[in-house]
Amino acid sequence: MKQALIVIDMQNGFLNPESPLCIRGARATVPACARVITACRRANVPVIFVNRAYRADGSDVEHTRYHVWAEGGRPLTPGSTGPLSVENPPEFGRRPEDYEIVKPRYSAFFQTSLDLLLRRLGVDTVLLTGTTTPNCIRTTCYDAVSLDYQVVVLADCCSSNTEEIQQANLLDMGNIGAKIRSSSDFLTGLEDGLLSIRPATMADLDRCAEIEAACFPKEQAASRASIRDRLSVYPGHVLLGELDGAVVGYAMGPVIGVPAIADEMFANAACHDPDGRYQSVFSLAVHPDWQRQGRGRQLLNALIDLARLEGRQAVTLTCRQEKIAYYESFGFVNQGTAASVHGGVVWYDMMLRL
């Protein structure tokens, strides 16, 4: 099963009471939606925002909605900000790796590229969240079933203007084969397969050295002594991933004051500057026994989240050419050939601005 999270119409123009299109129950679902979005990113489940936007002249507004839209301040125009805007809530923390599709009508599939995107991603199960349940969620559900997707509706992540409308539509979608689940139930199942991520301690030295040696050629791998120094100086920036009590990988790197990693930093843990603007990535490593399961993505996202929490300006790393596309999928931008000659190969500087 390959899932994708679809977040429908969770925009100021539908959430804010100042908007004529506000759905009364929508704002209350933001915290639950935010938790699901965060967990799906950690689990490498694609997050797809399906949003609504109307031309400023109203030429593409549904005729049944036009007068309310025109007389209520013309909400949801492209590029708008404020209470009537197309913006998603800040709690969702939109990421470069998230997808966005603008839909012209209720269903997320109607005259959009959603079906093509899902098939390119290998998705067979859609997780529906957003507003409103009787219109956009329901029509998307019916179209998804018609297109042979499995459908899961996260009930407390969807909203209606009344509880009666909400329950009636959830019942109807359940009756045609959609699974109706709570976000807490969904998250419990999802997080069973997630890594437990924690800062390293000196007791983890041997395991870290073992994983480093298993993942990198000898001329590129950090020595046990270098790893020991890193654990001594900046253990809070060495994030370990555990599965069933076993450390399966890590993401590590000091905070530095310059935007690019220099070769001399790899052997000098003193390069760590707690007040620096850049979180570096010296190593992203998953033991071969646990590779190709999205574990590296979970670890790197955890280090990126830490950098955001600490108010860093960017995350910086160097990589081989064959890894450029992988890091671009996180939103990193190729800065060109690096000055590094580490291991006697060509490296590229990559940066993710936060």
Side-chain angles (χ1 to χ4, degrees):
M1 178 178 67
K2 176 66 180 293
Q3 304 177 112
L5 177 66
I6 315 297
V7 184
I8 301 175
D9 287 354
M10 292 296 285
Q11 303 164 263
N12 284 346
F14 293 114
L15 300 174
N16 196 297
E18 295 181 36
S19 171
L21 304 181
C22 180
I23 305 304
R24 287 196 292 273
R27 181 67 217 181
T29 67
V30 168
C33 288
R35 288 191 292 271
V36 170
I37 290 167
T38 298
C40 283
R41 289 182 182 132
R42 283 190 59 206
N44 199 27
V45 173
V47 177
I48 305 171
F49 288 88
V50 181
N51 290 329
R52 185 70 70 93
Y54 292 126
R55 295 190 184 101
D57 64 3
S59 59
D60 58 351
V61 180
E62 298 96 324
H63 69 87
T64 55
R65 178 177 276 174
Y66 181 82
H67 290 297
V68 172
W69 176 84
E71 294 170 6
R74 298 177 178 254
L76 299 169
T77 54
S80 56
T81 59
L84 308 185
S85 74
V86 295
E87 296 172 302
N88 298 116
E91 293 93 328
F92 293 174
R94 288 287 302 275
R95 298 273 190 88
E97 65 266 28
D98 298 335
Y99 298 92
E100 181 176 22
I101 289 174
V102 176
K103 65 184 176 70
R105 289 294 182 264
Y106 296 117
S107 172
F109 288 99
F110 183 78
Q111 293 188 4
T112 75
S113 60
L114 179 59
D115 183 46
L116 174 63
L117 173 61
L118 294 174
R119 295 188 191 283
R120 287 287 179 87
L121 294 174
V123 168
D124 56 27
T125 302
V126 293
L127 311 167
L128 300 186
T129 65
T131 196
T132 69
T133 305
N135 296 332
C136 303
I137 303 301
R138 181 168 170 160
T139 55
T140 301
C141 171
Y142 277 61
D143 282 351
V145 169
S146 298
L147 291 165
D148 290 330
Y149 291 100
Q150 299 294 319
V151 178
V152 178
V153 180
L154 301 184
D156 56 322
C157 293
C158 301
S159 55
S160 303
N161 276 317
T162 71
E163 186 61 21
E164 291 77 13
I165 293 173
Q166 178 78 354
Q167 294 306 317
N169 282 275
L170 291 174
L171 178 62
D172 279 350
M173 288 186 285
N175 284 341
I176 67 157
K179 294 180 180 178
I180 312 300
R181 301 179 64 184
S182 68
S183 63
S184 59
D185 179 48
F186 167 73
L187 290 173
T188 297
L190 182 69
E191 291 174 351
D192 283 345
L194 291 179
L195 294 176
S196 174
I197 296 177
R198 63 171 176 83
T201 69
M202 194 59 72
D204 299 304
L205 173 59
D206 288 342
R207 182 56 175 166
C208 288
E210 179 185 355
I211 293 173
E212 182 84 4
C215 293
F216 300 102
K218 184 176 181 180
E219 62 273 13
Q220 297 175 21
S223 67
R224 187 176 187 279
S226 292
I227 296 173
R228 183 188 61 237
D229 290 345
R230 296 172 188 180
L231 294 177
S232 176
V233 176
Y234 49 88
H237 294 84
V238 179
L239 301 184
L240 304 186
E242 290 184 321
L243 200 60
D244 298 326
V247 174
V248 303
Y250 51 78
M252 69 167 71
V255 177
I256 57 179
V258 293
I261 298 169
D263 281 353
E264 57 268 22
M265 294 178 181
F266 289 108
N268 181 16
C271 68
H272 176 65
D273 175 6
D275 298 320
R277 293 182 295 173
Y278 304 96
Q279 172 65 57
S280 71
V281 184
F282 275 15
S283 290
L284 175 62
V286 175
H287 192 279
D289 290 346
W290 285 274
Q291 289 179 3
R292 301 187 183 279
Q293 299 175 21
R295 308 304 183 188
R297 186 169 292 273
Q298 293 175 42
L299 285 161
L300 183 53
N301 276 330
L303 194 60
I304 292 169
D305 287 343
L306 176 64
R308 285 196 174 96
L309 182 66
E310 293 180 339
R312 308 302 175 190
Q313 180 176 316
V315 179
T316 184
L317 57 84
T318 59
C319 71
R320 297 284 303 274
Q321 185 174 18
E322 61 268 22
K323 289 292 186 179
I324 290 175
Y326 175 73
Y327 289 113
E328 286 178 337
S329 73
F330 290 86
F332 283 85
V333 175
N334 184 2
Q335 306 294 302
T337 305
S340 175
V341 293
H342 182 63
V345 298
V346 177
W347 298 88
Y348 293 83
D349 289 322
M350 304 286 290
M351 180 174 290
L352 171 65
R353 297 196 179 274
L354 303 177

